Amino acid sequence: QVQVVESGGGLVQAGGSLRLSCAASGSIFRINAMGWYRQVPGKQRDLVAVITSGGSTDYADAVKGRFTISRDNAKNTWYLQMNSLKPEDTAVYYCSAGVWTTRSIYGDYWGQGTQVTVSS
């Protein structure tokens, strides 16, 4: 069993910052890519940022230069630092990770989602 729990989020004014955290626990052998997604009502869930096991990162064009993804492999934890937030960043944010379990089973595991609201 693998559990993924995210924290952070909340209400912030435009131009402000927030930091999201995500922690995986359980029968983990290795975590490959870790990512952050966001979803607004009525739309699909979109990739925001991803970081590979080697530390390579990629970002959606809409957040490049404002958001930073990072990871702490020793703690099975990853983060999304969000700066210069805009009202259009308002969404439910989900973290995700590709996990190899100790039983050699691979799966994608998701956090429960956290609301980020940016007021204008």
Side-chain angles (χ1 to χ4, degrees):
Q1 283 280 39
V2 175
Q3 298 81 38
V4 176
V5 178
E6 55 185 292
S7 59
L11 174 64
V12 65
Q13 289 188 333
S17 299
L18 282 174
R19 188 193 196 206
L20 306 181
S21 300
C22 198
S25 62
S27 303
I28 298 170
F29 175 70
R30 186 179 70 243
I31 301 179
N32 288 348
M34 297 169 166
W36 289 94
Y37 295 73
R38 65 187 182 187
Q39 187 171 24
V40 297
K43 294 191 175 182
Q44 67 181 19
R45 189 173 298 184
D46 292 326
L47 177 67
V48 175
V50 63
I51 184 167
T52 68
S53 57
S56 297
T57 59
D58 197 15
Y59 297 90
D61 288 342
V63 307
K64 282 181 180 177
R66 300 187 297 122
F67 291 11
T68 302
I69 188 171
S70 60
R71 63 190 285 169
D72 184 336
N73 290 331
K75 297 181 179 179
N76 289 332
T77 301
W78 58 111
Y79 309 93
L80 185 68
Q81 178 66 43
M82 304 184 292
N83 298 328
S84 302
L85 282 160
K86 305 175 181 179
E88 51 264 43
D89 293 319
T90 296
V92 177
Y93 284 70
Y94 298 89
C95 62
S96 177
V99 179
W100 280 103
T101 71
T102 54
R103 294 188 175 186
S104 299
I105 297 171
Y106 183 83
D108 292 321
Y109 293 86
W110 292 83
Q112 75 278 15
T114 187
Q115 177 70 46
V116 171
T117 302
V118 184
S119 63
S120 57

